[in-house]
Amino acid sequence: MDGFLSIAQMAQHFGVSAHTLRYYERAGLLAPVHRDAGGRRQYAQRDVAWLAFLMRLRAMGVPIRDMRRYAQLRAAGNATLVERLDLLSEHRDAVAARLASLQDNLAALDNKLAWYRDAIAQSVSPPSTSPGADDEQRTLHARLEDPSTD
Protein backbone atom coordinates (compact mmCIF):
# COMPACT_ATOMS: atom_id res chain seq x y z
CA MET A 1 0.00 0.00 0.00
CA ASP A 2 1.36 3.40 -0.94
CA GLY A 3 0.21 6.44 0.97
CA PHE A 4 -2.89 6.42 3.11
CA LEU A 5 -6.32 4.83 3.07
CA SER A 6 -9.46 6.83 3.74
CA ILE A 7 -11.96 5.56 6.28
CA ALA A 8 -14.17 4.30 3.43
CA GLN A 9 -11.25 2.41 1.87
CA MET A 10 -10.23 0.97 5.22
CA ALA A 11 -13.79 -0.10 5.98
CA GLN A 12 -14.12 -1.77 2.59
CA HIS A 13 -10.74 -3.47 2.93
CA PHE A 14 -11.78 -5.10 6.23
CA GLY A 15 -15.45 -5.58 5.50
CA VAL A 16 -16.58 -3.41 8.39
CA SER A 17 -18.42 -0.12 8.58
CA ALA A 18 -16.84 3.29 9.02
CA HIS A 19 -18.84 3.43 12.24
CA THR A 20 -16.96 0.35 13.51
CA LEU A 21 -13.62 1.99 12.75
CA ARG A 22 -14.63 5.16 14.58
CA TYR A 23 -15.86 3.02 17.51
CA TYR A 24 -12.55 1.14 17.65
CA GLU A 25 -10.76 4.49 17.81
CA ARG A 26 -13.06 5.81 20.56
CA ALA A 27 -12.73 2.53 22.48
CA GLY A 28 -8.96 2.85 22.52
CA LEU A 29 -8.34 -0.09 20.21
CA LEU A 30 -6.86 2.13 17.53
CA ALA A 31 -4.52 5.00 18.31
CA PRO A 32 -5.79 8.34 17.09
CA VAL A 33 -5.53 8.19 13.32
CA HIS A 34 -3.61 10.80 11.33
CA ARG A 35 -5.89 13.36 9.70
CA ASP A 36 -5.44 15.47 6.61
CA ALA A 37 -5.92 19.25 6.50
CA GLY A 38 -9.66 18.73 6.09
CA GLY A 39 -9.87 16.56 9.22
CA ARG A 40 -10.41 13.31 7.29
CA ARG A 41 -8.81 10.18 8.69
CA GLN A 42 -5.81 8.82 6.82
CA TYR A 43 -4.84 5.27 7.73
CA ALA A 44 -1.17 4.37 7.31
CA GLN A 45 0.25 0.89 6.70
CA ARG A 46 0.89 0.44 10.45
CA ASP A 47 -2.82 1.16 11.08
CA VAL A 48 -3.78 -1.46 8.47
CA ALA A 49 -1.47 -4.07 10.05
CA TRP A 50 -2.74 -3.34 13.56
CA LEU A 51 -6.39 -3.45 12.51
CA ALA A 52 -5.74 -6.75 10.72
CA PHE A 53 -4.51 -8.16 14.03
CA LEU A 54 -7.50 -6.73 15.91
CA MET A 55 -9.89 -8.24 13.37
CA ARG A 56 -8.21 -11.60 13.81
CA LEU A 57 -8.59 -11.34 17.59
CA ARG A 58 -12.26 -10.46 17.12
CA ALA A 59 -12.78 -13.41 14.77
CA MET A 60 -11.34 -15.68 17.47
CA GLY A 61 -13.97 -14.42 19.90
CA VAL A 62 -11.69 -12.21 22.00
CA PRO A 63 -13.92 -9.78 23.91
CA ILE A 64 -13.52 -6.05 23.26
CA ARG A 65 -12.39 -5.53 26.88
CA ASP A 66 -9.46 -7.92 26.32
CA MET A 67 -8.67 -6.32 22.97
CA ARG A 68 -8.66 -2.95 24.72
CA ARG A 69 -6.37 -4.29 27.46
CA TYR A 70 -4.01 -5.69 24.85
CA ALA A 71 -3.99 -2.35 22.99
CA GLN A 72 -3.18 -0.54 26.24
CA LEU A 73 -0.35 -2.95 27.00
CA ARG A 74 0.99 -2.58 23.46
CA ALA A 75 0.93 1.19 23.75
CA ALA A 76 2.88 0.96 27.01
CA GLY A 77 5.83 -0.60 25.21
CA ASN A 78 8.19 -3.49 25.78
CA ALA A 79 7.81 -3.43 29.56
CA THR A 80 4.48 -5.21 29.00
CA LEU A 81 5.74 -8.07 26.81
CA VAL A 82 5.13 -10.71 29.49
CA GLU A 83 1.60 -9.45 30.15
CA ARG A 84 0.82 -9.47 26.44
CA LEU A 85 2.22 -12.98 26.13
CA ASP A 86 0.04 -14.13 29.03
CA LEU A 87 -3.09 -12.51 27.62
CA LEU A 88 -2.60 -14.02 24.17
CA SER A 89 -1.67 -17.41 25.66
CA GLU A 90 -4.97 -17.52 27.56
CA HIS A 91 -6.89 -16.80 24.38
CA ARG A 92 -4.87 -19.35 22.45
CA ASP A 93 -5.80 -21.99 25.02
CA ALA A 94 -9.47 -21.03 24.73
CA VAL A 95 -9.34 -21.22 20.92
CA ALA A 96 -7.60 -24.61 21.09
CA ALA A 97 -10.31 -25.92 23.44
CA ARG A 98 -13.08 -24.66 21.13
CA LEU A 99 -11.30 -26.20 18.16
CA ALA A 100 -11.01 -29.58 19.93
CA SER A 101 -14.70 -29.43 20.79
CA LEU A 102 -15.58 -28.60 17.18
CA GLN A 103 -13.43 -31.50 15.97
CA ASP A 104 -15.25 -33.88 18.35
CA ASN A 105 -18.59 -32.58 17.12
CA LEU A 106 -17.48 -32.93 13.51
CA ALA A 107 -16.45 -36.54 14.13
CA ALA A 108 -19.85 -37.28 15.70
CA LEU A 109 -21.58 -35.65 12.73
CA ASP A 110 -19.46 -37.64 10.28
CA ASN A 111 -20.44 -40.85 12.10
CA LYS A 112 -24.11 -39.93 11.93
CA LEU A 113 -23.85 -39.07 8.22
CA ALA A 114 -22.16 -42.42 7.55
CA TRP A 115 -24.96 -44.20 9.41
CA TYR A 116 -27.59 -42.42 7.29
CA ARG A 117 -25.73 -43.15 4.06
CA ASP A 118 -25.52 -46.83 4.98
CA ALA A 119 -29.19 -46.93 5.97
CA ILE A 120 -30.23 -45.22 2.74
CA ALA A 121 -28.03 -47.50 0.65
CA GLN A 122 -29.67 -50.52 2.27
CA SER A 123 -33.17 -49.12 1.79
CA VAL A 124 -32.71 -48.44 -1.91
CA SER A 125 -31.26 -51.83 -2.74
CA PRO A 126 -33.33 -53.82 -5.22
CA PRO A 127 -36.31 -55.52 -3.61
CA SER A 128 -35.59 -59.04 -2.60
CA THR A 129 -37.76 -61.87 -3.73
CA SER A 130 -36.66 -63.96 -0.79
CA PRO A 131 -39.14 -64.86 1.95
CA GLY A 132 -39.25 -62.21 4.67
CA ALA A 133 -38.04 -59.36 2.41
CA ASP A 134 -41.00 -57.20 3.45
CA ASP A 135 -40.10 -57.79 7.10
CA GLU A 136 -36.53 -56.66 6.36
CA GLN A 137 -37.81 -53.43 4.78
CA ARG A 138 -40.11 -52.76 7.76
CA THR A 139 -37.18 -53.30 10.15
CA LEU A 140 -35.00 -50.88 8.19
CA HIS A 141 -37.79 -48.31 8.09
CA ALA A 142 -38.20 -48.65 11.86
CA ARG A 143 -34.44 -48.11 12.29
CA LEU A 144 -34.61 -44.93 10.20
CA GLU A 145 -37.49 -43.63 12.28
CA ASP A 146 -35.92 -44.54 15.64
CA PRO A 147 -35.21 -41.26 17.49
CA SER A 148 -32.31 -42.88 19.36
CA THR A 149 -30.35 -42.88 16.08
CA ASP A 150 -30.66 -39.12 15.65
Side-chain angles (χ1 to χ4, degrees):
M1 175 190 92
D2 292 331
F4 296 98
L5 292 179
S6 69
I7 195 167
Q9 292 168 320
M10 189 78 150
Q12 181 179 8
H13 179 75
F14 285 102
V16 298
S17 67
H19 174 78
T20 297
L21 294 173
R22 288 188 291 270
Y23 169 76
Y24 276 21
E25 193 174 344
R26 279 191 319 274
L29 298 175
L30 293 172
V33 177
H34 177 266
R35 294 179 185 250
D36 66 12
R40 291 177 295 270
R41 289 171 175 81
Q42 294 184 312
Y43 293 91
Q45 179 58 41
R46 71 179 181 280
D47 300 317
V48 174
W50 173 239
L51 187 58
F53 182 70
L54 288 175
M55 298 305 291
R56 191 169 297 274
L57 290 177
R58 195 73 189 123
M60 288 186 284
V62 175
I64 294 288
R65 72 176 178 281
D66 290 348
M67 291 170 59
R68 183 180 297 125
R69 177 70 181 139
Y70 186 85
Q72 290 166 345
L73 291 170
R74 179 178 177 257
N78 286 345
T80 66
L81 290 175
V82 171
E83 289 175 89
R84 286 185 271 167
L85 175 67
D86 290 345
L87 183 65
L88 292 179
S89 293
E90 287 177 28
H91 287 295
R92 190 223 178 271
D93 292 346
V95 168
R98 282 197 314 270
L99 183 57
S101 176
L102 284 172
Q103 288 171 329
D104 287 346
N105 290 333
L106 182 60
L109 183 57
D110 286 342
N111 287 337
K112 183 54 68 179
L113 290 169
W115 185 90
Y116 277 111
R117 286 183 185 109
D118 289 346
I120 290 168
Q122 290 175 21
S123 70
V124 295
S125 61
S128 173
T129 56
S130 64
D134 288 336
D135 291 339
E136 192 175 299
Q137 289 296 321
R138 278 192 291 279
T139 300
L140 178 60
H141 182 70
R143 272 185 52 210
L144 288 172
E145 296 300 318
D146 183 357
S148 68
T149 63
D150 287 336

